[in-house]
Amino acid sequence: MTSVTTLATDLPQWPTESGPYVALVDASSSLEAELLHDYLDEIEATANGPMSRFNLPPSRRRRRYTHVDPSIQERLLREDDPLCVPLRVVWLPRERDGVRRVELRDMLIPGDPRDPNLLQQQYIKVRHPDRVRIVVGKPARRSDLERRWNEPTGRTLAEGTTLGEFVALQAWLALERAERHLRGLRYKVPKFLTEDLFWSRPFQAGIERLATQSGKTESSIRQRTSRYLREIAAQHSPNVIDLVNAITSTMIRTAHRRVDYDPTELHKIYARAEQTPLVFLPSHKSNFDHLVFQHVLYENELPLNHTAGGINMNFFLIGPLLRRAGIFFIRREFKDNEPYKFVLRQYLDYLLEKRFALEWYVEGGRSRSGKLREPRLGLLAYVADSYQRGIADDVVLVPVSIAYDQITDVSAYTAEQRGQKKEKESFLWAIKFIASLRRKNGNIYIRFGEPLAMSEQIPRTLDLDAPEGRLALPKLAFEVSTRINDVTPITPVSLVTMALLSKPHHGFSADETLDVLEPFLQFVQERNLPVAGDITLDDAEAAMATLEQLASNGVLHRTDGLTKRIYSVNQDQHLAAAYYRNTVIHFFVPMAIAEIALALGFEDDAMLESQVIDRAVELRDLLKFEFFFSPTEQFREEIATEIARYRIGPSGPDDPVIVDLRAMWPAKSPIVLRPFLEAYLVVAETLVFHGDQPLTTDSLPSEALRMGEEMYHRGTIRSMEALSTALFASGISLAQNRGLLDGEPDGRIEFRDELGAILDALNAITESD
């Protein structure tokens, strides 16, 4: 027999506390049991007290025992106070370049390197003994375990479970923590949801309450909630985590140059997770977002987030893979399903209580226009409720911006904005998405906004359903979105597309592109706005490199003329170009609004600053469903600052505003706001066309597309990017907010005329430029 000491250079240290001892052996095979008992034989010869040994139901593979061995309970009920010591065998992947991880080539060999079958275990023990480890979990006295078992509150096992069953669960959990120290934090995963969550006292008490309220039997509610927990919960597998990261690494190398982020900042944020649960709230630009962010966590040896995903992503092959890599799936609609809501709340409670990091997209779904969408409050409300009920002392929300030079998804977004239906997620859809990553899309950028502590935003005693508390969650979500926008980097691609769309029917050389960009670059520098790390657009060569990137992916058309190379937006790619422009357009909106507010009063020689700011506030209200604005008073200060940049002569509150037109030109507002205002005008014309007929939000987008096509070809609107269902949606929300969908023909006409006057001022700016 091979001595256990030959298996590894560092056998675990036996606890120094005196006995008696209860050794709890977690073995999934006869070989593991042999190794563990050999180890215990060596320990027992010198141990400071007698030892009893018991086999636990194996925590890996299918359990052979229905119940915990009753003899464990019998031993624990003796009058002495033994020290319970759990132990198990851990199998490690091969070490390559000083790192132990599963790689794609390992997947060609059947089985899990971390959970080999008996034959593979025998082979590894003989040929690779460095891959075998014995771990000893943190011990605990019987008296301490019994005290915790008897606690009427907390997440202990429900009434009716024995002390032996509770001790077995605590042994498994202790071994998971010990194994995590050996394997690394990236494999911190909840493994015993059935025992630690489903059979806990809070969960079972909730089942009793649901049964009483619904008039159904506890057994039927228990079966239903058990099914829902399996449907929702992530089921992390270290083997799949390694596999998915290997695939993700390959896709990143194929489609992108690199992922640009600050590891120091990431580790600083995660340092807070030792005491407080983290909730990462990223922007959502691509289906690639989740994989990229998980890859970053993986490469930094950090625990992977539990990421909420729509149930539509739980399809053949891909769904199980994503579930085992950390995604938990949620139904789109479950408003009246009380058992489902209960299970989801309990699952989130459990993750927060155990300080597993959560992640979901604050926008709910991917942005089709490039801008950050309005935040959704669903999961945030659940987490706030958990915090207020004391599940966690605090919760830290981390705004995250995930940005790209270019993305593969943009062609699908363009089609959807033109009225095509979204392609249903399926295995074939996933294969096509992966295949589309063969083209080069530049860099990926991950930036972290300033975290928010929920304790500083929402008091525990605040009633979120009362009038004084109803705005607390929307304000919190709004602040998260604002902080995401604040750190989103301005990329060369976003600026170049902004220049090209300034005159969508014309082409530009590299030099001409720089001329259009000059005021925007100056704007960025003056305000010290965040930029991509390698942004260089100060010479024609750098601009041409960015133009070539866009041309290679079909967004731009390149014409090699006799004297210059000219780039123009391809006929069907205006929405694709607008997508990249819109990712950073929020930085330029206050400036553009100030320009229009000034333009609306050019003919008024006695225009006061307060009047200009009032006009700007009216424009802010018009665009409130489109952009995230500062609070009103802060916004007024921002506009005053913009006015001061152009103002000449006396600048007192009673002095008329006189502006230096040369400082304003070339005008930026037509480039920034024209598509949005023209899209709103299309919606207004559609409403006017229907007179006093009530309309629904379902029918309007398709009709607005038809109206928009007509208006564009008649020359009423100038921007092809305005023909977008994503932009129409904001205009429809504004009209609905004003009560215009119910009829109100006069209100509809006023809405159209208001937009027409603003666009007339915008056109005047353009023609004067």
Side-chain angles (χ1 to χ4, degrees), residues 335-397:
K335 183 170 60 175
D336 298 324
N337 191 334
E338 293 302 323
Y340 187 92
K341 288 192 288 186
F342 164 75
V343 173
L344 178 59
R345 181 175 288 106
Q346 284 287 315
Y347 182 62
L348 293 174
D349 282 355
Y350 178 80
L351 296 177
L352 292 168
E353 180 183 327
K354 303 297 183 182
R355 294 195 296 277
F356 289 107
L358 289 169
E359 175 189 338
W360 69 82
Y361 300 108
V362 67
E363 305 164 85
R366 290 171 291 155
S367 169
R368 266 56 175 181
S369 66
K371 297 187 301 82
L372 199 62
R373 297 172 60 184
E374 181 181 357
R376 301 295 180 90
L377 304 180
L379 283 178
L380 187 61
Y382 275 86
V383 170
D385 175 66
S386 296
Y387 161 69
Q388 289 194 313
R389 287 185 286 109
I391 297 299
D393 292 335
D394 202 353
V395 179
V396 174
L397 308 180

Side-chain angles (χ1 to χ4, degrees), residues 124-138:
I124 293 171
K125 186 191 80 167
V126 174
R127 298 297 299 272
H128 303 285
D130 63 299
R131 292 178 55 192
V132 189
R133 295 284 193 277
I134 292 175
V135 296
V136 174
K138 183 178 179 180

